């Protein structure tokens, strides 16, 4: 095969899944992991084990990082500084936008370039239908490596600011983690009456679909900074937020999550948004109203 070589550093569940997809697509794939044994099965499947981070970086122009955070990148590439010049570091690890911008500078000082990534699916879905990955950084870098990166999921370029991929990733994980925590809060509320979570499950799915139906209207309100509509006012939704806290308290649950939501409504009302649409909570979240 004439596929381009690629190096993958970081062989947690995500990195391992990426390596398997690169191998299946015919890319000569070099791997390195702090805990060397995590590479064993991949080497049997055809990956090449690098003896050191420097060897791993030297093996391919494109170096994919799949690490817990950006500090891990410094811990590893700090041992490979002389090998970095001319490399494209596709760091598909979660961290803050600021850490991502700093990493772009750190790499640039060593002659390498950062393509920041945020992968939006769990390990079993890497490279499968529906998998996608946000990227940001220099457009030319993205264009040069898009075909290779496509192997792990549809590449979605967000712009030249390296923080953009991270911001899109963290924004969507905000929705995801909050919704997942909400699922558990709901199950606990039902469970307090001795009802099994699976009885709630079909309604939970419908509720999540209903929430999805609000997405476009919410975006329109936010972009216009205008919150019309009297079907779901802050006062009406805020009363419900109160009831959710009361129900959780009566059931003896930890109410930190519903209290956080109630607090947004309380403060929106205090700021005079009571008869606006619930979307006016945006003014509270952004500390503007
Ligand atoms: P893990 O946290 O399980 O693995 C991370 C890798 O980072 C391991 O190879 C680990 O090495 C390495 N590592 C961590 N700290 C250091 C360090 N200080 N020095 C050297 N190596 C280090 O992560 P996942 O594979 O689950 O995820 C990787 C990234 O992908 C994360 O940023 C995660 O947020 C993101 N992600 C994960 C998803 C998932 O479902 N798992 C979904 C979407 C994104 P070692 O083996 O030696 O410990």
């Amino acid at each position: 095969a004439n596929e381009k070589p690629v190096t993958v550093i970081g062989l947690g569940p995500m990195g391992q899944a990426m390596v398997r997809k690169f191998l299946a697509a015919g890319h000569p794939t070099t791997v390195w992991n702090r805990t060397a044994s995590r590479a064993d099965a991949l080497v049997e499947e055809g990956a090449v084990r690098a003896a050191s981070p420097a060897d791993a970086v030297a093996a391919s122009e494109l170096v994919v990082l799949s690490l817990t955070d950006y500090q891990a990148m410094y811990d590893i590439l700090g041992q490979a500084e002389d090998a970095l010049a001319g490399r494209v570091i596709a760091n598909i690890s979660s961290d803050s936008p600021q850490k991502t911008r700093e990493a772009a500078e750190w790499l640039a000082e060593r002659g390498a370039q950062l393509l920041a990534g945020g992968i939006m699916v769990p390990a079993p879905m890497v490279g499968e239908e529906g998998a996608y990955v946000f990227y940001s950084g220099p457009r030319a870098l993205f264009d040069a490596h898009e075909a290779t990166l496509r192997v792990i999921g549809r590449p979605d370029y967000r712009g030249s600011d390296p923080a953009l991929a991270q911001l899109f990733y963290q924004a969507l994980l905000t929705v995801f983690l909050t919704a997942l925590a909400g699922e558990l809060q709901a199950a606990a509320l039902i469970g307090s009456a001795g009802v099994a979570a699976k009885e709630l499950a079909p309604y939970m799915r419908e509720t999540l679909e209903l929430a999805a139906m609000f997405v476009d209207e919410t975006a329109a309100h936010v972009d216009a900074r205008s919150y019309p509509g009297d079907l779901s006012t802050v006062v009406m939704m805020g009363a419900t937020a109160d009831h959710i806290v009361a129900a959780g308290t009566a059931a003896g649950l930890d109410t930190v999550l519903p209290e956080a939501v109630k607090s947004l409504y309380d403060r929106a009302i205090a700021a005079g948004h009571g008869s606006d649409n619930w979307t006016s909570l945006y003014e509270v979240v952004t500390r503007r109203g």
Side-chain angles (χ1 to χ4, degrees):
N2 290 323
E3 306 301 341
K4 285 187 187 169
V6 60
T7 290
V8 178
I9 294 178
L11 302 174
M14 297 298 280
Q16 292 189 24
M18 291 176 189
V19 170
R20 292 199 162 96
K21 290 296 176 188
F22 284 129
L23 289 172
H27 290 272
T29 307
T30 300
V31 297
W32 187 87
N33 193 61
R34 177 180 61 181
T35 307
S37 60
R38 279 182 122 171
D40 293 352
L42 299 170
V43 169
E44 276 180 33
E45 293 167 41
V48 174
R49 187 197 308 268
S52 66
D55 286 355
V57 169
S60 320
E61 184 191 353
L62 177 63
V63 178
V64 173
L65 306 185
S66 177
L67 302 164
T68 305
D69 54 22
Y70 269 59
Q71 183 54 47
M73 180 197 82
Y74 297 111
D75 292 348
I76 296 167
L77 297 187
Q79 310 167 46
E81 290 195 43
D82 293 342
L84 284 172
R87 299 300 165 201
V88 175
I89 308 297
N91 193 345
I92 309 179
S93 311
S94 173
D95 213 316
S96 67
Q98 185 51 29
K99 287 272 171 55
T100 307
R101 290 195 182 105
E102 288 166 9
E105 288 170 21
W106 187 86
L107 288 167
E109 286 162 9
R110 286 150 186 85
Q113 287 182 284
L114 175 69
L115 194 57
I119 183 160
M120 300 311 301
V121 291
M125 281 180 69
V126 168
E128 301 290 328
E129 180 79 27
Y132 67 104
V133 189
F134 292 123
Y135 292 99
S136 58
R139 175 89 218 191
L141 280 195
F142 176 78
D143 289 343
H145 296 285
E146 181 179 2
T148 303
L149 295 170
R150 186 165 293 281
V151 168
I152 57 171
R154 178 174 51 80
D156 189 324
Y157 181 73
R158 291 283 105 210
S160 59
D161 178 351
L164 280 168
Q166 202 70 258
L167 283 165
F168 270 81
Y169 177 83
Q170 304 301 351
L172 294 176
L173 268 293
T174 300
V175 176
F176 193 56
L177 265 63
T178 308
L180 295 184
E183 288 185 25
L184 296 179
Q185 190 83 26
L189 193 56
I190 291 295
S192 73
V195 180
K198 76 166 192 271
E199 271 198 53
L200 186 66
Y203 306 102
M204 188 104 76
R205 251 192 301 281
E206 290 209 43
T207 303
L208 288 167
E209 282 162 17
L210 187 64
M213 288 168 62
F214 278 61
V215 167
D216 291 329
E217 188 184 67
T218 300
H221 287 191
V222 163
D223 287 341
R225 304 246 347 243
S226 161
Y227 315 101
D230 51 16
L231 287 180
S232 318
T233 64
V234 171
V235 165
M236 184 281 279
M237 295 281 269
T240 302
D242 287 349
H243 303 155
I244 295 167
V245 171
T249 303
L253 304 180
D254 186 313
T255 55
V256 65
L257 182 65
E259 275 175 36
V261 176
K262 173 177 155 23
S263 162
L264 293 174
Y265 281 96
D266 288 346
R267 286 180 286 145
I269 290 168
H273 292 294
S275 56
D276 291 340
N277 194 279
W278 70 273
T279 47
S280 62
L281 264 59
Y282 185 70
E283 298 292 321
V284 176
V285 171
T286 55
R287 300 174 180 276
R288 290 193 285 212

